[in-house]
Amino acid sequence: MDDTQVNAQLDQMKNFILQEAQDKANEIKTKATQEFTSEKGRIFQNEKIKIIKEYEKKQKLIEVQKKINLSNELNKSRLSVLKVREECLRDVIKEAQKKLATISDDKDKYQTILKNLIYQGFVKLNENKIQVVGRKEDAGLLEKATTEAAAQYKKNVGKSIDVSVDKERFLPQGPKSDYNGPTCCGGVILSALEGRIICKNTLDSRLEICFDQLTPVIRTQLYGASTSRKFFD
Amino acid sequence: MNFRELDTSNGVKAAESSFRTKVVLAREIPWNGFASSNSITSEQYNLISKYDKHTDAEKKEKFAANSASYVNFFVNFINSTSNIEIIQYLLTLINEIIEIDPRAAGAFSKITKDDDKSYPYSVFFRLLNREDAYTNLHASIALAQIMCAGKPTQNDVESFFNWILKLLRKNNSSEVEVGLIALQSLLLKDDFRIFFNNIDGSALLLNILQALSTSSVNIQLLYETIYAIWLLTYNKDIAAAYSGTGLVANLVQLVKTVAKEKIVRLSLSTLRNLLNNGKSNEEMIDNGFVRMLNILNIKKWGDDDIPADIEVLINGLAKDIDNMSSFNKYKTEIISGELEWTPVHKSERFWKENISKFEENNYQVIKHLHQILKTSQSTPLQLSIACHDLCEFVRHHSRGKAIMTITNQTRYHGYDVKSNEEVKNQALFALQKMMLNNWEYLNAK
């Protein structure tokens, strides 16, 4: 075998080895690629699921928050409606008080009212000795009203009554625009047994009682019947 | 396809590699002359003169710094010239840079041309039809790698696959090999595997493999074929679809008969991919793969991947064997040839319950037992168990004796002269039972 033949054979062997190595290298490359792709796919899938879950959680949280906010707002608006309604009621009282102040202007009518108020007081107290307190400005009218009421009491109930009008103590004066102290729109306070029993029969206290008792009626008149009310006595 | 310059006696890859280093890369392309005749601009001359004939590391650096310009220059120059030598040279450079830096394929896929939608693929498509095998091969490899990196249109992919399919159907093994090599770069992407399977490519590959297995002379072609199938089996659906087609039997046969390590390696790797897909496990067991694996496991291998694959396969199949019914276990034992006195052999109940199952697959188990008796390499243990089992079969099966007569009764006479006592005993025992006409009657007495 001469040199060229040896070289040719060596070359062939070298090529063969190289070829085998190349084949194996390709296989390794393929396996690596495959591993990369599947690993990538796996990680991708995992992360995708993670993100989806995270967003589901967030969405849920937002929905809960939304519900809370909604009920809060609902409550708030309900409260504000109630508040406005309350204010309207107060307006009604104020209106009524203003009208109350004008009652004592019509002397004739007021005279009759006073008489009836005192008479009612007598009946309510059912005592023999009664003192009547009125406003200072009504002192004249009071005297007459008391005697008339006492007469009526005697006529209707059949008992005579010892009644006196208090000359020292008076109810506060009627409301005036430039005056801020306590006021009284009219009426009387009767007392018996040296002030142990008191019957407040002023127009103001009557209005108060009226208001307490008639609030539901007024409310229905103003706003209509409550839709949520289920039970009626 | 014209292979005139390539000596394909040792396969296409070897021919390509020697032609590449000895002829193509030895060429001096006169860039200088092109520059002075204004065929290329001074900028382009600048680019190529700093790149051509430099080391891999320098090429990688230059290309990375200015990839868009290089990509455009390569593709445009190939497109504009008709000089086959320059085309070969530039195609080699393109595949070389993709080999050095795989990201280069992405750069090639990104270039576009306004009046040509399939650019740059169209440039390579034109080269596929030239009458020069080296150009065809390199153009197809480049095309495959660029397609894997880019987003080619359905049309481009289809026409490329059709070109490959046409080659695979050729009779010339070198042309088939070119097709397979192109396929190997393309099937790295799962989408393309599915596409190839949809156009019946996987069945065609199996046909090629089966044609080769029977007359396996061309190792390199065999290797390339298994390589392509191996890539396909990475897709679970395709792997499952391969069960029942005979691929498993073919591969097991190859592992048994071909000594070449790289064929064994790739076959095992493919079988590993097929494991747990479809009915592949059953097929492996039916083809006696378990015994084969145990033999392979003892051998020394130069390649670490082989023992690893063997281990995965052994463990994978052991699970299946555990889950089998007693008859299937028995069948596996017989087919694998690893006979032992397991309880079933002596269990009266086993024979009574499963006797009809021996008829399955045209008496497959009985034939295997005969096979053991026929071969001279069988150990005394194997012989005695085989004798025992055959006589049990005759005893329990209603037409047992008739079947035995048809197959090979005379065989038994040979064994009573063998030296081993145990074998002699079993053989005589078997003969005795077979010759008795009315042994049932005898038993009753």
Side-chain angles (χ1 to χ4, degrees):
Chain A
M1 216 189 274
D2 60 25
D3 265 10
T4 47
Q5 266 177 315
V6 169
N7 274 342
Q9 202 160 4
L10 269 178
D11 255 9
Q12 208 182 351
M13 280 165 75
K14 250 165 45 191
N15 275 345
F16 176 76
I17 293 167
L18 204 68
Q19 195 53 50
E20 295 292 288
Q22 198 66 47
D23 282 342
K24 178 65 189 172
N26 278 340
E27 280 175 43
I28 292 171
K29 223 184 273 174
T30 303
K31 273 187 189 170
T33 314
Q34 193 56 40
E35 219 164 279
F36 167 75
T37 329
S38 62
E39 187 69 4
K40 192 173 85 174
R42 200 181 56 79
I43 294 174
F44 183 80
Q45 198 59 29
N46 279 354
E47 293 300 310
K48 209 165 108 183
I49 291 170
K50 222 159 121 191
I51 290 171
I52 289 173
K53 269 191 184 154
E54 201 178 304
Y55 272 84
E56 269 172 9
K57 221 162 126 190
K58 273 187 184 166
Q59 205 165 5
K60 243 181 199 167
L61 218 77
I62 289 171
E63 262 162 32
V64 168
Q65 196 57 44
K66 235 172 161 178
K67 270 182 191 159
I68 294 173
N69 284 349
L70 184 73
S71 80
N72 274 350
E73 282 304 311
L74 220 65
N75 222 15
K76 236 189 211 167
S77 69
R78 212 177 276 142
L79 283 177
S80 75
V81 166
L82 288 180
K83 205 171 149 195
V84 171
R85 283 183 176 188
E86 192 63 33
E87 269 166 21
C88 285
L89 278 180
R90 295 262 156 236
D91 285 349
V92 169
I93 297 171
K94 266 184 199 151
E95 202 70 21
Q97 267 167 342
K98 266 186 207 155
K99 277 205 178 143
L100 214 59
T102 59
I103 288 176
S104 53
D105 293 349
D106 185 349
K107 296 289 174 203
D108 284 348
K109 213 171 169 188
Y110 186 55
Q111 179 74 53
T112 329
I113 291 168
L114 267 182
K115 182 205 81 183
N116 283 336
L117 285 174
I118 294 165
Y119 174 67
Q120 193 182 29
F122 289 168
V123 175
K124 260 266 164 351
L125 286 170
N126 197 18
E127 287 291 334
N128 293 330
K129 193 169 167 22
I130 287 171
Q131 210 172 26
V132 177
V133 181
R135 294 194 301 183
K136 208 171 189 174
E137 59 246 57
D138 296 341
L141 293 170
L142 260 176
E143 210 59 52
K144 194 182 169 203
T146 317
T147 20
E148 272 177 20
Q152 192 175 2
Y153 185 74
K154 178 143 196 200
K155 186 181 150 203
N156 285 350
V157 183
K159 282 200 269 186
S160 59
I161 196 161
D162 175 13
V163 61
S164 59
V165 177
D166 199 322
K167 298 277 197 280
E168 281 152 26
R169 289 175 299 164
F170 298 98
L171 292 174
Q173 57 172 319
K176 271 181 192 142
S177 52
D178 55 348
Y179 174 71
N180 280 331
T183 58
C184 180
C185 295
V188 289
I189 291 178
L190 299 99
S191 61
L193 299 172
E194 284 154 6
R196 283 194 190 88
I197 309 173
I198 288 173
C199 175
K200 270 192 183 172
N201 218 1
T202 61
L203 290 179
D204 301 78
S205 56
R206 285 185 73 98
L207 177 64
E208 227 165 87
I209 291 165
C210 265
F211 180 68
D212 272 357
Q213 286 172 355
L214 292 179
T215 313
V217 181
I218 297 166
R219 216 174 259 153
T220 342
Q221 255 175 12
L222 284 179
Y223 313 119
S226 162
T227 46
S228 59
R229 186 169 170 184
K230 290 275 159 61
F231 299 100
F232 301 90
D233 294 332
Chain B
M1 199 174 280
N2 191 335
F3 287 92
R4 70 201 147 183
E5 289 165 306
L6 302 174
D7 168 24
T8 56
S9 56
N10 285 321
V12 171
K13 274 186 180 168
E16 182 273 333
S17 143
S18 80
F19 186 73
R20 169 159 44 95
T21 49
K22 284 190 186 134
V23 182
V24 178
L25 288 178
R27 281 179 195 142
E28 291 286 346
I29 307 296
W31 303 117
N32 214 341
F34 289 139
S36 54
S37 67
N38 282 336
S39 300
I40 57 174
T41 64
S42 59
E43 278 166 58
Q44 286 171 331
Y45 175 69
N46 225 357
L47 279 176
I48 192 68
S49 61
K50 277 181 191 158
Y51 182 91
D52 195 18
K53 306 288 183 203
H54 284 68
T55 65
D56 283 0
E58 284 171 314
K59 279 180 181 171
K60 185 177 179 179
E61 193 194 324
K62 286 273 180 300
F63 188 88
N66 214 344
S67 59
S69 311
Y70 277 110
V71 163
N72 273 311
F73 174 70
F74 287 156
V75 177
N76 288 335
F77 204 86
I78 286 178
N79 204 19
S80 62
T81 187
S82 59
N83 183 333
I84 194 73
E85 293 194 354
I86 298 178
I87 290 174
Q88 286 177 343
Y89 191 81
L90 280 173
L91 280 174
T92 311
L93 285 189
I94 289 174
N95 281 327
E96 183 192 60
I97 187 66
I98 293 175
E99 168 101 31
I100 296 170
D101 185 1
R103 277 171 297 180
F108 279 103
S109 73
K110 282 196 187 72
I111 53 175
T112 52
K113 206 172 181 186
D114 290 339
D115 56 346
D116 186 356
K117 264 188 216 155
S118 59
Y119 193 81
Y121 308 114
S122 56
V123 176
F124 297 99
F125 272 127
R126 237 170 284 139
L127 299 177
L128 293 182
N129 297 323
R130 284 195 80 123
E131 274 299 308
D132 175 57
Y134 185 86
T135 306
N136 300 151
L137 180 64
H138 269 272
S140 66
I141 294 172
L143 192 54
Q145 299 196 91
I146 297 168
M147 272 189 177
C148 275
K151 291 192 182 76
T153 62
Q154 191 76 6
N155 254 338
D156 286 337
V157 176
E158 209 174 314
S159 46
F160 190 30
F161 269 118
N162 283 334
W163 181 80
I164 291 172
L165 281 183
K166 220 162 69 192
L167 286 180
L168 294 183
R169 292 200 182 96
K170 290 270 173 78
N171 285 324
N172 181 338
S173 65
S174 297
E175 285 183 90
V176 177
E177 222 180 312
V178 171
L180 289 169
I181 293 168
L183 208 50
Q184 284 164 17
S185 302
L186 208 50
L187 292 184
L188 284 175
K189 204 171 172 184
D190 205 49
D191 298 348
F192 292 154
R193 287 176 197 152
I194 294 163
F195 192 100
F196 187 64
N197 186 48
N198 287 344
I199 55 174
D200 289 332
S202 41
L204 181 61
L205 285 178
L206 185 62
N207 286 344
I208 296 172
L209 182 71
Q210 279 164 342
L212 284 171
S213 304
T214 48
S215 62
S216 76
V217 272
N218 193 339
I219 291 290
Q220 198 56 32
L221 184 58
L222 186 60
Y223 175 80
E224 309 293 1
T225 313
I226 305 172
Y227 200 116
I229 294 175
W230 177 54
L231 288 173
L232 281 176
T233 56
Y234 270 112
N235 181 296
K236 296 263 174 223
D237 295 332
I238 300 174
Y242 260 131
S243 90
T245 58
L247 174 65
V248 170
N250 258 308
L251 291 171
V252 171
Q253 194 58 34
L254 283 174
V255 174
K256 271 184 191 167
T257 52
V258 181
K260 199 90 170 143
E261 188 169 294
K262 68 177 175 183
I263 301 288
V264 175
R265 180 177 70 211
L266 215 45
S267 301
L268 285 174
S269 203
T270 311
L271 284 165
R272 181 185 173 165
N273 282 354
L274 289 172
L275 193 71
N276 299 330
N277 281 308
K279 290 188 166 174
S280 300
N281 294 20
E282 278 175 43
E283 282 180 64
M284 287 182 209
I285 293 167
D286 283 352
N287 282 295
F289 190 45
V290 179
R291 181 178 155 81
M292 195 63 220
L293 279 172
N294 288 333
I295 295 171
L296 292 174
N297 205 14
I298 303 162
K299 264 196 188 172
K300 277 246 177 258
W301 297 100
D303 193 322
D304 288 347
D305 289 347
I306 296 179
D309 282 342
I310 290 173
E311 203 185 313
V312 170
L313 282 165
I314 286 178
N315 292 338
L317 291 179
K319 251 180 245 156
D320 281 73
I321 292 170
D322 279 348
N323 292 333
M324 277 184 183
S325 65
S326 59
F327 178 74
N328 281 336
K329 255 188 203 169
Y330 173 79
K331 194 170 113 187
T332 314
E333 188 189 318
I334 300 298
I335 291 170
S336 75
E338 307 212 312
L339 300 183
E340 265 176 72
W341 285 114
T342 45
V344 288
H345 295 284
K346 302 273 188 187
S347 156
E348 193 73 21
R349 208 174 127 223
F350 168 76
W351 291 100
K352 265 188 193 147
E353 277 174 4
N354 296 301
I355 196 69
S356 60
K357 287 185 186 158
F358 280 82
E359 295 171 18
E360 279 172 11
N361 278 337
N362 198 15
Y363 299 98
Q364 190 194 8
V365 178
I366 300 299
K367 280 179 183 162
H368 270 278
L369 287 170
H370 274 302
Q371 198 61 40
I372 291 166
L373 290 181
K374 270 187 218 165
T375 46
S376 51
Q377 294 125 347
S378 299
T379 62
L381 182 67
Q382 283 177 315
L383 287 175
S384 33
I385 293 176
C387 280
H388 171 266
D389 286 358
L390 277 174
C391 92
E392 287 295 317
F393 170 72
V394 172
R395 196 155 75 86
H396 287 94
H397 198 277
S398 50
R399 288 180 296 117
K401 269 209 292 187
I403 294 159
M404 227 21 81
T405 323
I406 294 163
T407 46
N408 232 336
Q409 200 184 12
T410 49
R411 290 264 162 210
Y412 291 83
H413 298 295
Y415 294 102
D416 48 2
V417 295
K418 286 218 171 161
S419 56
N420 191 296
E421 279 297 318
E422 169 78 10
V423 179
K424 229 187 254 181
N425 196 10
Q426 288 293 348
L428 280 172
F429 209 50
L431 266 176
Q432 179 197 3
K433 281 182 188 168
M434 283 181 189
M435 287 161 84
L436 267 175
N437 265 325
N438 50 353
W439 60 270
E440 258 169 344
Y441 167 73
L442 198 83
N443 249 13
K445 263 186 178 178

